[in-house]
Amino acid sequence: MAKSSRASGTVKASAAVLVESRLAPPQLSTTLLARPGLSALLHSGLGKRLLSITAPAGYGKTTALAQFAAQAETLGVTVAWLSLEEEDNDPLLFFRYLASALRHADARLGRSVLAQTAGGSVASTDAISASMLSDLSAVEGPLLLVLDDFHLVHDEGLHRQVEWLIAHLPPAIGVAIASRTRLPLSLSPWRVRNQLLELDATHFGLALDEAAAFLGIVSGAPLNRAQVQALHSRTEGWIAGLQLASLALRESGDRSAFVRDFSGTDRDITDYLGEHVLDSLQPDLRDFLLDTAGLERFSAELCDEVLSRTDSRAMLAEVQARNLFLSGLDRTRTWFRYHHLFADYLRGRSRERPADVSRAISLRASSWFQRHGLLREAIRYAFDGLDFERAADLVAEFSAELVQHRGEHATLLGWLARLPQHLVYARPKIRVGHAWSLAMTRRYAEAEHELRALEHACQESGEDELRYMVEMIRCVYWAHVGEPLQAKAGSETWLKSWPRADAFCTGVVANVLASACCATDAFEQGDKALAIARRSFSETQADYGLAWAAALAAMLAIRRGDYDDALKQARAGIVVVERSLGVASYAGSMLALLAAEICYEQSNLSGAKAFLDIGLPFVDDHGLIEMTTAGYLTRARLLYLAGDSALADTCLLEGESLGHRLRLPRLALILSAERCALRLRAGLIEEAHKLARSYGLMGYGASPPEQPVSNAEDSVRLVQLRLKMSVASGNTGSLTGAFNDALRQASRDDHRAQVARVLVLKAVHHYRMQDSAQALRMLDEALDHAARCGLVHSVIDSDPVVLEMIEAIHVNRGNRQLEGRGLAPDAYLQRLLTAGGRTLSASAAPTLSASADTTAIERLTERELKILRLLKAGLGNRELAQSLFVSEATVKWHLHNIFTKLGVKNRTSALARAQQNSLL
């Protein structure tokens, strides 16, 4: 695509450039007034969670904090400083600056946040703040984080994240926040716990003695006591008012008259600024102040260029010598800014001059910042200069880097809101960045609209660079909205059509293809796509893309049914993430959530919990639902094992609601099916049926399910089989057909784990039909498959009788010759029983013919014991159903479980066995 001549001839700018001067306190004057009382107040805040400083402009908040920071450092406190600006309302930019401030103070801090936001990741503020907290948790020794000018941050989401971060900081870390307005945070929890120090304007006003000393320093000559008292009273100790009065006094011929007439009001001070300060300066110096008023920060080099002069360094020295509210922003005293009050006054005065003058200065500043690679300021001054064409050219030049490599979508959207629409439409590069942002922030309807418009533009322009970018975003879009067939076809076509495309884009599309191959069971093609992705991302050193490739490799292995290889792939990816992005990052969370699911399956519950803790803060933010489902399923299953079934159900319901809200039906379907599965595990058969019917997972009576389930959802098919098994046990023909269909499907798709799981359920069905010998042979075969796949929990969680059947297999093996032994390894049987909380013992384990022992009988649930008591009272199935408020089918299910556990075949024998073992 041809570039506009207005943006040509410049060095390549980077969205990654940060303003270093914002990461350190302003330089302190050597003649700064000492304020021991205020200093003592501030030091009392050391050790507290939050130091809140709120006062209007001109009360010396920044200066006092800079003094406090310097003194704290002498006490061994590490100080991280961040001066905030309006642009920090972009969440990712805010956290990039916050991480940079921490890293500026301690090179070990902020690394993971900077790396992940530099790698094109799209993480929520929840995810980023969690990653930052992980970094801060390793801090040794006291640390103070200072956030200056917090009133400029008005994004409510950032307020919430800052509040959360402060609440969870380690005890050794404190935060000091300075703002002109009341902090938009909930302070009461810290106030109650005495973890808050609040200072306001009353604490920052100068005392009478301090005012006298200050007036003497600034005015150049001491005032008598009465004059000091008058000025102090009228300004109420307001530092800015006293300083302005002092500057006016310096030029006043009659000090007594000045003090007598000075009221101390804002209007009075403004008038004196003009009449006694600005107008008394030499015209050249006054013009310099007015010319630089529109610059947020400036250096001598910048001023020379934008003002077409060569003496800016001397002019800045003169401004500083006259105490005209100039603050140094760095230790080399290269960059400066005016105090807010003075800058506001100067800008007001500069607006009285011809508009062309200010516009010309802004546009020259835009060119200077562009040439030095500072894109945000280049664009800001283009807008200030009302040159929207230039602003649009710059936005077009930088939009791809900003959103694809930085993920700063809010910044781009803010620029677009200020640009006339016809300028945006004329620059497809801007729209490409916009489409990417919309897709990555899950605004899918808007993304679809923008992509269609861009595809039409591609047909008209025929420009290859535009086409391959738009087609790449379309591939990503299909993957995110859960359309694997379109994603697969699109990414295959893209890779063939653009063999010489940018390596980063090639890696992105290859990863999309791998994810689509995973969803469509094209395993070999998926492996080849991942090889392309790894090669492309290695070439560009894009660890974020490599982390995606590792996550997709783990997903492929899970889908195939090789959990050992899946864990190996996930751990290999975590090694990549650790070296640059940090495990507690968006990229790390993809791998952590998958690893948590794998660890749970393999009964490494502590590992599952550890990985889940890393991944949960990001669980709602992933483009592919596999990571999100892994997080919600694993958390719910761990909660259920811990005995909190209600919280487990709530967890699944939250994830299901997310699926509906984001229009991701697969996510909602998988989690709703798991809600039914947990009820089956708890023996709440009627509840499971009712819930399944509401979801369309099973019909009423013998009718088929109302909602067809995609072949891709193996977990949902298993739940449907379990639901069918829990209906009346007499209708075995349709159930056998369902088992055979599921096995054929799993075998055709090469889902080895699914084959094992279906065989386990089929064995359980035969066991319940009293075909015990065939059931155990079938289970032995199923366990052999499961052992090869690395399955544990999906076997023992599938039905309560599985563990008893495994014990029976072991005992029967012990009663046979070695050559007649079964298929599944003994070590694997032991692993399953251990995971299920049982100890393998040949003498104690039940055989098919043996009577149920006391240990087995004690495992009857409360519901089953209640049914036994009702049986003793002579109730039939219908009466039992009415008493328990369940269906007769559910009663039959419970009776079957009771007979199995007691080792009997009818009611009479069950009551006799229960009486014999003192259960009644």
Side-chain angles (χ1 to χ4, degrees), residues 418-432:
R418 299 179 65 183
L419 285 173
Q421 288 300 301
H422 71 276
L423 295 180
V424 175
Y425 290 148
R427 291 162 176 79
K429 276 189 174 182
I430 299 180
R431 303 187 70 182
V432 166

Side-chain angles (χ1 to χ4, degrees), residues 451-513:
L451 282 170
R452 286 186 179 182
L454 281 167
E455 286 161 350
H456 180 71
C458 288
Q459 292 175 356
E460 292 185 342
S461 71
E463 294 179 2
D464 285 352
E465 184 181 355
L466 175 62
R467 276 189 58 207
Y468 90 69
M469 291 297 295
V470 172
E471 289 173 5
M472 177 194 74
I473 298 171
R474 174 60 82 179
C475 292
V476 173
Y477 170 83
W478 286 130
H480 277 228
V481 298
E483 295 291 350
L485 294 177
Q486 288 93 327
K488 187 170 184 290
S491 51
E492 288 172 340
T493 301
W494 193 97
L495 290 169
K496 291 176 183 176
S497 302
W498 308 107
R500 294 181 178 83
D502 172 79
F504 177 82
C505 295
T506 299
V508 168
V509 178
N511 269 343
V512 170
L513 178 56

Side-chain angles (χ1 to χ4, degrees), residues 92 119-124 403-409 413 432-444 446-448 451 472-481 504 508 512 544 548 586 590 620-624 662:
L92 281 188
S121 59
V122 182
S124 70
V403 297
Q404 291 179 19
H405 297 275
R406 315 298 308 172
E408 293 174 17
H409 307 292
L413 296 175
V432 166
H434 188 211
W436 180 272
S437 287
L438 293 172
M440 299 304 286
T441 54
R442 289 177 163 176
R443 294 162 63 176
Y444 297 133
E446 295 171 79
E448 171 65 22
L451 282 170
M472 177 194 74
I473 298 171
R474 174 60 82 179
C475 292
V476 173
Y477 170 83
W478 286 130
H480 277 228
V481 298
F504 177 82
V508 168
V512 170
Y544 176 70
W548 258 108
Y586 179 85
M590 297 187 299
D620 291 350
D621 303 305
H622 289 288
L624 297 182
L662 297 178

Side-chain angles (χ1 to χ4, degrees), residues 73 82 120 124 127 152 211 234 264 280 342 354 368 377 432 471 506 543 649 753 757 792 819 826 839 880 913:
E73 287 181 329
L82 175 59
S124 70
L152 296 175
R234 291 168 190 171
S280 66
F342 193 51
W368 189 93
E377 285 164 299
V432 166
E471 289 173 5
T506 299
D543 284 347
D649 189 60
R757 290 164 179 147
V792 176
E819 61 271 14
D826 283 339
T839 302
L880 282 170
R913 185 62 48 78

Side-chain angles (χ1 to χ4, degrees), residues 409-718:
H409 307 292
T411 297
L412 177 63
L413 296 175
W415 289 338
L416 291 180
R418 299 179 65 183
L419 285 173
Q421 288 300 301
H422 71 276
L423 295 180
V424 175
Y425 290 148
R427 291 162 176 79
K429 276 189 174 182
I430 299 180
R431 303 187 70 182
V432 166
H434 188 211
W436 180 272
S437 287
L438 293 172
M440 299 304 286
T441 54
R442 289 177 163 176
R443 294 162 63 176
Y444 297 133
E446 295 171 79
E448 171 65 22
H449 177 78
E450 190 69 281
L451 282 170
R452 286 186 179 182
L454 281 167
E455 286 161 350
H456 180 71
C458 288
Q459 292 175 356
E460 292 185 342
S461 71
E463 294 179 2
D464 285 352
E465 184 181 355
L466 175 62
R467 276 189 58 207
Y468 90 69
M469 291 297 295
V470 172
E471 289 173 5
M472 177 194 74
I473 298 171
R474 174 60 82 179
C475 292
V476 173
Y477 170 83
W478 286 130
H480 277 228
V481 298
E483 295 291 350
L485 294 177
Q486 288 93 327
K488 187 170 184 290
S491 51
E492 288 172 340
T493 301
W494 193 97
L495 290 169
K496 291 176 183 176
S497 302
W498 308 107
R500 294 181 178 83
D502 172 79
F504 177 82
C505 295
T506 299
V508 168
V509 178
N511 269 343
V512 170
L513 178 56
S515 72
C517 289
C518 180
T520 56
D521 305 314
F523 299 129
E524 184 176 348
Q525 185 183 4
D527 290 336
K528 291 179 180 177
L530 287 179
I532 296 172
R534 290 187 177 107
R535 184 168 61 249
S536 300
F537 288 127
S538 295
E539 180 182 332
T540 57
Q541 297 182 330
D543 284 347
Y544 176 70
L546 291 172
W548 258 108
L552 291 165
M555 286 167 50
L556 281 166
I558 291 173
R559 185 106 172 147
R560 273 191 297 246
D562 190 343
Y563 277 77
D564 293 330
D565 182 56
L567 187 58
K568 177 183 175 183
Q569 297 291 347
R571 291 189 182 280
I574 288 171
V575 170
V576 171
V577 168
E578 276 183 319
R579 74 187 181 201
S580 58
L581 306 175
V583 176
S585 64
Y586 179 85
S589 73
M590 297 187 299
L591 296 152
L593 291 171
L594 294 171
E597 180 183 27
I598 298 164
C599 285
Y600 176 84
E601 175 60 65
Q602 299 195 319
S603 198
N604 178 4
L605 302 186
S606 60
K609 186 179 184 307
F611 281 121
L612 197 61
D613 288 342
I614 295 170
L616 269 183
F618 305 77
V619 71
D620 291 350
D621 303 305
H622 289 288
L624 297 182
I625 71 161
E626 280 75 10
M627 290 82 172
T628 305
T629 54
Y632 278 106
L633 289 174
T634 305
R635 181 167 185 257
R637 289 165 180 171
L638 287 172
L639 288 168
Y640 184 86
L641 282 185
D644 199 337
S645 57
L647 193 55
D649 189 60
T650 299
C651 169
L652 294 170
L653 192 56
E654 288 173 358
E656 181 196 336
S657 299
L658 176 71
H660 291 305
R661 188 167 68 252
L662 297 178
R663 298 182 181 179
L664 298 173
R666 282 185 61 221
L667 175 61
L669 175 63
I670 292 170
L671 298 182
S672 62
E674 184 70 11
R675 294 186 70 208
C676 299
L678 289 188
R679 283 159 174 76
L680 290 175
R681 286 180 67 183
L684 303 173
I685 311 304
E686 189 68 19
E687 282 189 32
H689 289 178
K690 183 178 179 181
L691 191 62
R693 286 193 290 269
S694 73
Y695 285 131
L697 294 174
M698 66 182 297
Y700 292 84
S703 62
E706 296 176 2
Q707 175 175 316
V709 176
S710 165
N711 292 337
E713 310 313 335
D714 286 347
S715 62
V716 180
R717 282 184 166 272
L718 289 171

